[in-house]
Amino acid sequence: MSTDTTAPATPSSDQPSNSGNADYGAKDIQVLEGLDPVRKRPGMYIGSTGLAGLHHLIWEVVDNSVDEAMAGYCDRIGITLTADGGCRVDDNGRGIPVDPYPSGPHKGKSAAEVVLTVLHAGGKFGGEGYKVSGGLHGVGVSVVNALSERLIIEIDREGKRWFQEYAKGGKPQGNMAIVGDTPLAAGRTRGTSVTFWPDPTIFAAEGTEFVARTVLERLQTMAFLNKGLEIVFADERPEKQQTQTFQYKGGLVDFVKHLNASKEPLFSKVCAFEDDDEDGQMLDIAMQWNTGYYEGIHGYANGISTIEGGMHVEGFRAALTSVVNKYARAKNILKEKDENLLGEDIREGLTAIVSVKLREPQFEGQTKAKLGNVPMRSFVQKATNERMAEWLEENPAEANKIVKKGLAAAQARVAAKNARNAIRRKTALSGAGMPDKLKDCSSKNADESELFIVEGDSAGGTALDARDPRVQAILPIRGKILNVERARIDKMMKNNEIQALITAIGAGVGDEYDVSKARYHKIIALCDADVDGSHIRTLLLTFFFRQMRDMVEAGYVYIAQPPLYSTEVGKEKVYLKDDAAKARFLADRPNHKKEFQRLKGLGEMDWEELKSTTMDPSTRTLLQVTVDEAAEADMIMSVLMGDDVESRRDFITSNARDVRNLDF
Ligand code: 0RA
């Protein structure tokens, strides 16, 4: 899970310029027109112009090389963050074709130039179909060119090195041309290398500095999904130098082991299988159970994480439920009188990867992260049914453990239902049904209503004075809420703080959770800026992630940012959000002599301060919580909140330098 401030598409103000360039001609005008829409509305092509959009540029280029690897022509991809702020992606594939177009609007240009300057260029070169990208991003590398201030492409083919450079906005500086022989580098005789420098005028809001951890996470997933592919990351930026290589001979088997590494596997074996058909559909599935209580089924389509699931995941789930029940009946572990296990019982503690590849994936849903291609359901279902039935027969000890765990989960499910009914009866008795501690807002319109979850009763009192009672509700919670990562749902339901939270939000919980019933469309964690505060924030986010995931995916969950420092300018008090804000403040006012107060808790602020810095929509900044990479978020959640103290310590030590990405 990560936070990303949502940035609107910012129209760029720069106009095509022909000054100082003797080569400027008709060709350039056409190119600028061609890529102009991208610069006008970058958000439409890369999602945002914040950090997420910036990293999209890398994924877009890497996807092309991964396609070349998937086609079987490339086994190594390098990603280098260059010392001067650029990013180079190189591969040892066939090299993008450089031969000139014989006719048509692009006559005379190399195929590679067309790929880099024409939006959605997915044409056929030399009779061979060239799919630009299988990705969700799939917008084409020309978008990267359009949003860069400079881009260099180098292609090695038949012993020659071809070169072309582009200036800001994708403007070619000369033609694609041979500049020499292919440098004899480590056995690489063919390949493509694209180096780009993102345009700071486009990424003005959050800057153009790539975050190594974001890149590494994604590259590691790509390496898991493409068995054997070697992905080499190098950071050459001053103070940040590092190299890391990902290569997994086991592919998805290694992936589930990695995800389960911080948990206790139910057994050491991994059930895995692959399949493909004549329509070019492929599947690659691996699963392993752990002793925990959550399911983590992670779907991918053409290497893109489908966090909202879709047809492939549906097919997998349906098959899993039926095949395990069938097995349990056949072996008489489930007796005649017993009811079938539900899917959720069987999936308790399951970590699975369902990766499919297909032509023309359709991405649907709120965040375009749900696979819509209907034939995928039966394709995955059929293969899973057959292959898992075999696996269960061949591995009776493991199969038995899976069924036993499902039975235990079914018992807990019944117990939880009883606990839920008890809560329902209790709320029915207490009139309106809302927790006593909740100070609700008067609006009944969820779209405009906000729920502040405030740490501690005293801060709750201040927040109460600071709120706009029409649209802002306050729920103070005391101390540390139960750590839901270590408790099964039936135990969790007995916790008072959790009960108050569930009742206040009004959308139920677990399998009865219905995001459309949420009474607020902003649920805001308001915690102190200290260690305890961040612990409580993590606990809250774990709860939302595990029990109300839809709400996180719908973008309803936020983190309030109370300031960390205050100081005085003249007679006026100025608040600064964090160390970066303090540094900016000092850079602007080198002669500032007043002291900085470090604000320890919400309790130290009076209500006017809390209102203007943290709660008033016109002056506050909220962080929206998003799930970019569910598999990784799941793993990090387990590491941070689970039982394994050792891996938690490792994670925190190895990520301590990159704390700004640890802010969930
Ligand atoms: C289509 C045909 C050929 C190469 C590629 C695509 C290609 C594209 C990319 C993008 C990044 N790296 C790439 N490597 C190769 C070549 C066909 C031929 O040589 O016969």
Side-chain angles (χ1 to χ4, degrees), residues 383-404:
T384 307
N385 261 323
E386 291 170 10
R387 306 295 301 275
M388 260 208 89
E390 279 167 34
W391 191 89
L392 294 172
E393 284 298 337
E394 286 162 13
N395 299 279
E398 285 75 13
N400 197 43
K401 284 188 180 163
I402 294 170
V403 177
K404 288 277 160 61

Side-chain angles (χ1 to χ4, degrees), residues 64-65 68 91 94-97 128 130 157 190 192:
N64 288 298
S65 295
E68 184 69 357
D91 66 51
R94 294 166 296 173
I96 305 183
E128 212 178 318
Y130 172 47
R157 285 172 71 98
R190 298 187 78 169
T192 305

Side-chain angles (χ1 to χ4, degrees), residues 419-440:
R420 252 199 316 272
N421 287 340
I423 298 179
R424 217 179 278 124
R425 276 195 299 280
K426 209 161 86 188
T427 50
L429 288 175
S430 58
M434 282 299 132
D436 291 343
K437 298 197 287 184
L438 175 72
K439 302 298 173 221
D440 213 352

Side-chain angles (χ1 to χ4, degrees), residues 540-613:
L540 280 170
L541 294 185
T542 307
F543 173 71
F544 292 134
F545 183 76
R546 292 301 189 195
Q547 294 297 335
M548 301 186 177
R549 173 89 65 101
D550 292 356
M551 211 166 62
V552 180
E553 281 166 9
Y556 291 173
V557 180
Y558 293 83
I559 295 169
Q561 299 192 93
L564 201 53
Y565 298 104
S566 71
T567 186
E568 271 156 38
V569 177
K571 278 199 186 110
E572 217 165 298
K573 209 160 185 182
V574 174
Y575 294 94
L576 300 164
K577 196 177 78 182
D578 50 22
D579 287 303
K582 184 178 160 193
R584 272 197 301 274
F585 175 89
L586 280 173
D588 286 348
R589 292 178 195 70
N591 296 322
H592 184 77
K593 288 283 175 295
K594 293 268 171 63
E595 262 182 53
F596 288 89
Q597 252 82 45
R598 197 184 157 97
L599 303 170
K600 279 209 213 67
L602 298 166
E604 284 180 26
M605 274 188 262
D606 60 36
W607 69 267
E608 281 117 331
E609 292 172 324
L610 184 64
K611 179 172 179 167
S612 67
T613 60

Side-chain angles (χ1 to χ4, degrees), residues 60-69 73-74 77 89-99 115 123 125-126 128-132 141 153 155 157-158 190-194:
E60 198 55 56
V61 182
V62 174
D63 276 356
N64 288 298
S65 295
V66 171
D67 279 357
E68 184 69 357
Y73 297 109
C74 150
I77 300 174
V89 177
D90 60 272
D91 66 51
N92 62 354
R94 294 166 296 173
I96 305 183
V98 286
D99 32 348
V115 172
F125 304 147
E128 212 178 318
Y130 172 47
K131 196 160 55 69
V132 173
V141 70
I153 180 156
I155 295 171
R157 285 172 71 98
E158 277 129 37
R190 298 187 78 169
T192 305
S193 157
V194 173

